Amino acid sequence: MTVIDISPSVMQFLLAFVVVAPLLGAVAALLPAPPGLKGRNPDQAVLRHGVTVTGAVLIAAIVLATGFDHDHPATMQATTDISWIPALDVRIHLGIDGISLPLLLLTALLTFLCALYSYFKPPAGPSPKAFTALVLVLESGTLATFAVLDLLLFFLAFEMVLIPMYFLIARWGGDQRRAAAWKFILYTLLGSVVVLLGLLLIGLRSGTFDMVALATDNGRGLTTSVQVIAVLAIGVGLAVKTPMWPLHSWLPDAHTAAPTVGSVLLAGVLLKMGTYGFVRILLPVAPDGMRTFAPCLAAFAVVGIVYGSLACLALARKGAKGDLKRLIAYSSVGHMGFVLLGIATMTPTGVNGALFANIAHGLITGLLFFLAGAVKDRYGTADLDTLAGATGAALYGRAPRLGALLAFAAVASLGLPGLAGFWGEMLTLFGAYSPAEGLSRPAFRTFMAIGAFGTLLTAAYMLIVVRRVCMGEHSPHSELPPATTPADAPEPADAPEPSGTGPSATTPPRPATPRPAATTPQLADIQTYEAVTWTPLAALTVLAGLWPAVLLGLTDPAVQKLLAGGKS
C-alpha cells in the first residue's frame, strides 16, 4: 500500500535528490548571491538559502515516504545501482527500507528545523555562509549514511560528517570549544580507522561490498574467526560514534561547547549513525561474531545506562554547578545504552525497540537541546544553580510556556507512558528478558533488571531538573527583608513622653509603609519562530507515544527479514 502511486524512476530520482541536493546547496551557499536574491542583508540571504534547500529536501523525503510501499517495508525501494569503481567492485548503490526510511525523515526534519531556527536567530560567530554550507554538508553525509548500500560508500558517508561538525563546534561554539572540537575529532577519527579495517576485511573475504548481498548471505561466506575480528573492529568504531560507555567521554564536552544547532544535530542524527551501523551491517553480515560479543555489548550498555543516570544526578544536585546542556549530554549516554541493549538481544523485539528508541531519542533530545539553548540565551548561562532560581526567578514565574515545554520534554525523556520515550525502553527490556538462541538468559535478565533500575534513576534526575529549573528553590536570599517603618521604629531614649494635651495627643499615628513585594523580572517567553520550530518535535513525540504502530509497522518486517538472513 502506498499513499500516492509514484513510478520507480521518480522514486529513484527523489532518493538521489535527497542525498545530493544538500551537497549542491552547500556549494551554492559559498558562491556570491545573484543580485536579485541578496536582499537587504547578505547574511540573512544565505541563511534563507539554507532554509530553502533543507525545506526542499524535507519535502522530497516526505514525498518519498508517501510513495513508499508500506505493504513491503522489508524490500529495498527507490534503488539505484551504478558501477563507480569497477576495479574494486564499488558501486553507487542507494535504497531504503523500513529501517532506514524513519531515520531519513528524522534527519531531514531536524536539519530543516535547525536551518529555520538559525534564520531567525543567527549563530554568533564567523561568516553565516560557512555556517550554512557546513550544516548542508553535514545533512548530505548523514542522509547518505542511511541511504547507501555499499560498504565503502557507507564509510565515506560516515566520515563525511566529521569535519563539518568539528568546525561547527570549533568556530561557533561556546567556552572551551576548541578543546571539545579536537576531542571530538580525535575520538571519532580513531574509531573510523578500525571501522575501515573491519569493512575491508568483510569485503575482501566475502568478495563483495554490496550490503544487500552480504545480508542475504548472512555470514555463510565468512568464517567465525573473520566475523569475530570484523565485529570487534567495526563495533569499536561504531561504539565511539554511538557513544557507548567507556568510549563516551568526548560527548559531554562536545555538547556543552557546541552551538544550539550543533547540539541538536549531534544528538538527533549523528549518534544514530553508530547504532544504524550495528543493525544494518553487523547483525546480518556477521551474526556469529555478534553472538560472541553480544553479552559484552549488553554489559557495557547497562553500565552506560546507570553511569549516565548517576552522572546526571550528580550534576543536578544543589551546589554542583552542573550545566544543563552537559546533563542532557550525559542523559544521551544512558538513552543510547538502551538502544545498544536492544541490539545486543539479537531478537526482533529488542532490535525493534532499539530502532524505536533511536527515533524517540532524536525527537526528544533534539527538543531538549533547543530548549536548553533558549534558556541559556535568556539567562546568559546554563548553570543549574543559577537556573534553579536563587533569586526566586525560576522558569514557571518568568517564562511559563517555556517552563511547561521544558517539563514536557523532561517527562518524555524519562519514558512516561503515552509519549515516545516509553516504547523503545520497554521493548528493549522485553527483548532482554528473552534473548536470541545461544545467549545466556540469566545474564540478559540481569541486564534487564539493571536497565529497569536505570529507568528509575532517569526519572529521578529529570524530575529534579524540572523541580529546580521550572519551579525554583526557596532561598533565604530570595525574599526581601522586612521593611522598617516609622510606626514600628524604636523611639530615641531621650524622646519626651507625649502629654495628654497638645497636638501629639490628637494626631493619629502614621500608617505603616507597606513592605515592597519581591518582584520577579520577566523573560521573553516562547517566540513565534521558536514555537514553529519546536512544535513538530513535541507533536511527533506525542504521536509516536500514542500510535507506535506507525513506526513499528515499518521496522518490524525489515528487522524480521534482516535477522532471518534476508528471508522474509
Side-chain angles (χ1 to χ4, degrees), residues 514-542:
R515 194 176 85 183
T519 58
T520 300
Q522 295 297 303
L523 294 173
D525 213 333
I526 296 178
Q527 305 296 298
T528 302
Y529 74 92
E530 293 174 327
V532 171
T533 303
W534 302 339
T535 298
L537 300 179
L540 288 172
T541 298
V542 175

Side-chain angles (χ1 to χ4, degrees), residues 126 163-174 176-182 184 254 257-259:
I163 301 302
M165 182 53 68
Y166 166 81
F167 281 109
L168 285 175
I169 297 172
R171 301 298 301 277
W172 286 270
Q176 304 296 322
R177 59 182 181 269
R178 293 191 181 277
W182 273 111
F184 162 78

Side-chain angles (χ1 to χ4, degrees), residues 177-196:
R177 59 182 181 269
R178 293 191 181 277
W182 273 111
K183 197 171 185 179
F184 162 78
I185 200 72
L186 289 176
Y187 264 79
T188 50
L189 280 179
L190 289 174
S192 299
V193 171
V194 291
V195 168
L196 178 60

Side-chain angles (χ1 to χ4, degrees), residues 19-102:
V19 172
V20 176
L23 201 56
L24 299 177
V27 175
L30 297 174
L31 299 175
L37 298 178
K38 284 184 178 179
R40 295 181 180 178
N41 188 335
D43 291 347
Q44 287 294 102
V46 73
L47 292 171
R48 184 171 62 245
H49 168 77
V51 175
T52 303
V53 174
T54 56
V57 171
L58 176 61
I59 292 172
I62 293 173
V63 174
L64 189 67
T66 57
F68 187 82
D69 186 355
H70 292 261
D71 287 335
H72 301 90
T75 303
M76 285 294 172
Q77 301 179 37
T79 55
T80 298
D81 191 2
I82 304 171
S83 179
W84 184 33
I85 307 177
L88 297 177
D89 194 28
V90 178
R91 310 182 68 81
I92 299 177
H93 192 182
L94 305 176
I96 53 171
D97 63 357
I99 294 173
S100 52
L101 179 61

